[in-house]
Amino acid sequence: QVQLVESGGGLVQPGGSLRLSCAASTVTLGDYTIGWFRQAPGKEREGVSCISRTNSNTYVRDSVKGRFTIARDNAKNSVYLQMDSLKPEDTAVYYCAATMYSYCTNYVSGAIFTSWGQGTQVTVSS
């Protein structure tokens, strides 16, 4: 089991930016495929983005394409989700998750991930 800690959430106005971080202290995140998910009140969890461990290919869901970017910083043993041009509909608790699967295939459901963080709240509101 990998212990993941998310940070960087908060309250931001529409059009603003946040950078979420996913960190681990006991494992090397570069050895894992990492996904970002979100869950809004009353809604199901949805996959937002993923970066594979094998070739660092990245994926983002259509609704955030062009606004969200996932990236690794191996020196800091972290994975980031840069979120720009935020919209009220981006409001949710955001989670990162880890898996030893080599690729992000079918990441959206979350089923391939074995370890999850506690989440960080993102609120987009004026």
Side-chain angles (χ1 to χ4, degrees), residues 10 52 66 71 84:
S52 69
D84 299 318

Side-chain angles (χ1 to χ4, degrees), residues 48-84:
V48 175
S49 188
C50 184
I51 184 164
S52 69
R53 73 180 185 98
T54 301
N55 50 16
S56 287
N57 278 357
T58 61
Y59 304 84
V60 292
R61 67 182 298 113
D62 286 346
S63 62
V64 305
K65 202 165 288 185
R67 301 189 296 121
F68 290 13
T69 305
I70 189 171
R72 295 185 186 275
D73 185 337
N74 290 332
K76 295 186 177 180
N77 200 30
S78 297
V79 174
Y80 301 109
L81 184 67
Q82 177 67 41
M83 307 188 296
D84 299 318

